[in-house]
């Protein structure tokens, strides 16, 4: 879990706030699939991630896995 926290650190405060809230709400029940989905989302640029989280932009051209889409939905709540 500590590796996932470390990998989830972002350059934009806004992204960090989404991610911090995500861990506060869901950390106790995260699965390996959730971790894979989070790693996939963390491969996006900071600006793209924020735009997707705020629904200002559609999902990236490269399709996201089902795990990443699930984590994205959890991040948006």
């Amino acid at each position: 879990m500590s590796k996932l926290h470390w990998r989830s650190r972002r350059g934009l405060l806004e992204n960090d706030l989404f991610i911090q809230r995500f861990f506060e709400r869901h950390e106790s029940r995260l699965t390996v699939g959730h971790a894979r989905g989070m790693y996939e989302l963390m491969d996006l640029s900071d600006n793209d991630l924020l735009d997707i989280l705020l629904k200002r932009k559609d999902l990236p051209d490269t399709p996201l896995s089902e795990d990443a889409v699930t984590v994205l939905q959890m991040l948006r709540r």
Side-chain angles (χ1 to χ4, degrees):
M1 193 56 64
S2 63
K3 286 183 182 182
L4 186 58
H5 275 277
W6 177 256
R7 177 66 175 95
S8 299
R9 292 179 45 178
R10 304 305 295 193
L12 290 176
L13 174 63
E14 293 86 350
N15 285 338
D16 283 336
L17 293 174
F18 271 102
I19 294 166
Q20 178 184 1
R21 187 178 64 189
F22 168 81
F23 279 118
E24 288 171 356
R25 291 180 178 177
H26 304 290
E27 183 171 13
S28 64
R29 55 200 147 122
L30 291 179
T31 66
V32 172
H34 292 132
R36 281 193 300 263
M38 180 63 95
Y39 275 106
E40 188 175 342
L41 290 173
M42 294 304 105
D43 286 339
L44 298 172
S45 74
D46 285 336
N47 291 328
D48 286 343
L49 179 60
L50 182 60
D51 287 343
I52 290 169
L53 288 171
L54 295 175
K55 298 181 183 179
R56 293 190 295 204
K57 186 177 184 180
D58 291 329
L59 295 177
D61 294 334
T62 308
L64 294 175
S65 69
E66 186 176 322
D67 290 330
V69 171
T70 299
V71 172
L72 178 61
Q73 292 169 346
M74 294 166 75
L75 281 161
R76 285 177 171 166
R77 289 186 203 140

